[in-house]
Structures are given as structure tokens and as C-alpha cells.
Amino acid sequence: MAFQTVIRTRFYDDFLLRACAGVGRPRQVVLLAAGLDTRAYRLAWPDGVAVYEIDAPDVLAFKDRTLADVAPRCERVACPADLREDWAERLAGAGFEPGRPTVWLAEGLLIYLSAEEAGRLLRRVGELSAPGARIALEQGDSVEWLRSMAEDVPALARVLRLWKGGLGDDTCGWMGRHGWRTRAHELGALAEAYGRPVPGGARSGFLTAEYG
Ligand SMILES: C[S@@+](CC[C@H](N)C(=O)[O-])C[C@H]1O[C@@H](n2cnc3c(N)ncnc32)[C@H](O)[C@@H]1O
């Protein structure tokens, strides 16, 4: 899990910056479940980028307090909301313009939602996206496999209880059926490209996708 998190951090960093420099020059970036993500503070964003961070109110309040003395390197917009509820309205209220070129990131999120919740969230993301919008997210694994892996690590028990599985190993298929052209990125191959030794048993990876 730690290995996957290290690789995914770098992979999503690169994805976001490349997407902002690519077709349509998107200037809206939405971090779905930003948590304590510090990308707004540490990445070299192009001029004019607004990074919308959606997460639970208490998480964002803690982050705002903790980073109060640090200047973001873009326009950072905290958007407290429950991603199972009226988050899209709150995002629009915070200045997000549906239909403008946008890059989305759902990092470490879907597993905390049920398949129905994850599907509803991603359908809404599609509705807010113009053709060419991009997203990155985990490829998804069967929750049984994740649980069996995590059972060997007692410290993970508290986290394990929160997992609902998301779209599981159908994430790529679901995205394809809902208007996204997907590309899979295998964890081991990415790690090798970054010069990281790949531990035995490493599997899974990430998806990037383009809408329309
Ligand atoms: C494992 S953390 C990932 C945080 C960050 N994306 C990262 O990878 O470092 C999961 C995040 O999802 C958020 N989260 C889970 N369910 C949520 C919901 N229904 N609405 C908003 N945020 C939620 C949690 O508050 C937490 O910050």
C-alpha cells in the first residue's frame, strides 16, 4: 500500500501538470477528496490555474489551519462537501464553471464509497465535463483482494472498516460505458520508469481517461 501511494503521488503529479499543458489548456483542476493533498502548494502550476479541493468540512478546516502560513502556488479553492450529496452545487458556488476544460483527480477515494455512490459521483463528473476533460483515478481491485492484503497489517484494521469497495475491478469497464476513453497504467511498469525497485506482489495501477 505504501509503495502504491508513493508511485501514485508522482504519477498523478505528472498527470495533472501534463494535462494543464495539453489540449485546451485546462485551468480548472478538481481534487475529489483532496484530503491532505498538498499539490496546490507544491506543484509548479501554469498561470491562471484554480485548484478546487473537495473534502469533508472538518478535514479542510484542519488543513486550512495547518497550512495557514503557506502560500499556494495557484488559486486554491477549498470546497467543503460530501461527495455523496450536493457537492456539484457547492463546487459551482465556489466558482467552478461546468463545461470549461477541466482536469479531475479521484485519488484514494472510490474505495471509501459503495459502487452505487461511486457511480453516482462519476456520472455527475461526466455531466460537468466538456469533451476533452481528463481524469485520473485508481484502476480498482476486488475488495476481497484488498482486504486479504490488508489483513496482514494490523494497523490497517481501522482503515479497512471504512472500505466499501467503490467500482472494484470494473472501474475501467464502468468508465468506458459512461463516455470516457480510458488508458491503464500498470503499477510495476510505472515504478520501473521512475527507477524504483518493485516489491514482490505489487499489482494494480491507475487509469487516465478523456471524456467524449
Ligand atoms: C485516503 S484519503 C485520500 C486523500 C487524498 N486524495 C490523498 O490521496 O492523499 C480519503 C479521503 O476521502 C475523503 N472522503 C471520503 N468519503 C468522502 C465523502 N463522502 N465526501 C467527501 N470526502 C470524502 C476523506 O475525508 C479523506 O480525506
Side-chain angles (χ1 to χ4, degrees):
M1 195 170 171
F3 173 73
Q4 190 257 22
T5 305
V6 167
I7 302 300
R8 88 182 189 202
T9 299
R10 170 64 192 273
F11 177 68
Y12 291 151
D13 283 1
D14 292 348
F15 163 79
L16 291 168
L17 291 181
R18 274 202 201 112
C20 286
V23 181
R25 299 277 191 275
R27 290 298 177 263
Q28 298 189 130
V29 174
V30 183
L31 306 179
L32 299 162
L36 304 184
D37 181 317
T38 54
R39 290 189 175 93
Y41 300 85
R42 64 180 178 75
L43 294 187
W45 297 102
D47 287 347
V49 166
V51 173
Y52 295 89
E53 297 191 356
I54 308 179
D55 208 294
D58 54 343
V59 174
L60 290 177
F62 169 80
K63 185 173 182 176
D64 286 347
R65 279 198 309 277
T66 307
L67 294 175
D69 296 335
V70 186
R73 302 178 72 180
C74 58
E75 182 192 351
R76 172 181 174 264
V77 185
C79 183
D82 188 327
L83 287 160
R84 297 165 301 182
E85 295 176 2
D86 58 346
W87 63 273
E89 291 69 23
R90 287 173 185 245
L91 185 61
F96 174 88
E97 292 179 48
R100 267 186 62 204
T102 300
V103 190
W104 304 86
L105 178 64
E107 179 183 22
L109 168 64
L110 295 189
I111 193 159
Y112 295 94
L113 304 177
S114 67
E116 199 264 324
E117 290 164 348
R120 189 157 16 105
L121 168 69
L122 290 175
R123 269 195 297 277
R124 198 77 183 98
V125 168
E127 288 162 6
L128 297 174
S129 295
R134 306 204 60 206
I135 190 168
L137 67 171
E138 282 83 66
Q139 186 175 297
D141 282 299
S142 81
V143 80
E144 292 77 25
W145 179 76
L146 288 165
R147 281 189 201 285
S148 68
M149 181 186 64
E151 270 159 14
D152 295 337
V153 186
L156 275 180
R158 284 174 59 205
V159 179
L160 210 68
R161 280 198 291 276
L162 301 174
W163 286 355
K164 298 188 199 166
L167 297 171
D169 49 16
D170 185 39
T171 308
C172 187
W174 189 101
M175 296 290 286
R177 294 192 298 278
H178 290 82
W180 295 89
R181 281 179 289 124
T182 56
R183 185 170 161 215
H185 306 263
E186 202 252 320
L187 181 62
L190 287 174
E192 272 175 27
Y194 294 143
R196 285 274 178 159
V198 182
R203 55 175 258 183
S204 193
F206 314 102
L207 295 175
T208 53
E210 189 173 320
Y211 194 63

